[in-house]
Amino acid sequence: KEEYYNIIIDEIEKIEKISTELLFVSKPLTHNHSYQWLKPMITDVITLLNTQAVKKNIILELICPEDVVVYADRSQMKQVFINLIKNAIEAMTEPGTIITEVKKYEETCLIYVSDEGPGIPKQLIHKVEEPFFTTKEEGTGLGLMITSRIIENHNGLFKVMPDVEVGTTFEIQLPHYDPNKIEQE
């Protein structure tokens, strides 16, 4: 009986995960946007996922200027970073580093999440944002679709770039706001 209970619990957890993600996809995205400092937001996500990374001997590194401000729904943007960093942790089969790097320009910022996993085959790159497409046994195939949708909702661009040697880099481009001008408004 015990082994059946474990199987049932595992399957219920899968159903719950898929249901939660489907609900997220089906409801319209809110527009609770406000000016947000990017570094503390990403730091919160790294703190949240660090236990999972440490179990696999993965270092989560953040390179981000202090003064990057985006106009965003905080919970949605945190969900983006959770999806990308969690995917990177799950993709890596060996110890290594996941780097989240933010580069600030005049009116935009570029955010890169790079892992050292096996990478996504070039012929599958175009499919990663499709619903239910996954290469993971436990995956639902909705995480990157949700990520892409959130980024679009924030007037941003989302790209998946296979790295030449090893790993994958996800690139997000978002409008950047000068914190000095915001404080004057």
Side-chain angles (χ1 to χ4, degrees), residues 2 10 24 31-32 37 55 62 74 91 100-102 119 124-125 132-133 139 141-142 150 152-153 155 178:
E2 188 67 32
D10 285 348
F24 190 92
H31 291 281
N32 296 332
W37 297 90
K55 284 182 187 173
L62 174 60
R74 185 175 176 81
T100 303
E101 182 175 8
V102 179
L124 298 180
I125 289 287
F132 306 110
F133 174 78
L142 294 171
I150 291 171
E152 285 174 18
N153 189 44
N155 300 315
D178 184 339

Side-chain angles (χ1 to χ4, degrees), residues 14-15 20 30 40-42 48 92 106 111 172 180 184:
K14 283 182 194 173
I15 290 168
T20 303
T30 59
M41 191 186 313
I42 299 172
L48 176 73
M92 288 177 59
E106 193 75 23
I111 305 154
I172 299 167
N180 299 318
Q184 294 168 0

Side-chain angles (χ1 to χ4, degrees), residues 72-114:
D73 181 309
R74 185 175 176 81
S75 66
Q76 287 178 17
M77 285 309 297
K78 282 178 92 168
Q79 186 63 52
V80 164
F81 295 119
I82 289 168
N83 288 351
L84 295 180
I85 295 170
K86 193 167 185 253
N87 269 2
I89 293 168
E90 291 170 357
M92 288 177 59
T93 53
E94 301 290 325
T97 304
I98 296 168
I99 299 173
T100 303
E101 182 175 8
V102 179
K103 294 183 178 180
K104 179 182 75 164
Y105 299 97
E106 193 75 23
E107 294 180 4
T108 62
C109 65
L110 293 177
I111 305 154
Y112 302 96
V113 177
S114 303

Side-chain angles (χ1 to χ4, degrees), residues 2-20 137-140:
E2 188 67 32
E3 68 183 85
Y4 290 118
Y5 291 137
N6 291 335
I7 291 169
I8 291 169
I9 288 169
D10 285 348
E11 294 305 311
I12 289 171
E13 286 173 357
K14 283 182 194 173
I15 290 168
E16 181 185 28
K17 185 177 180 184
I18 291 171
S19 300
T20 303
E137 252 181 65
E138 299 294 317
T140 61

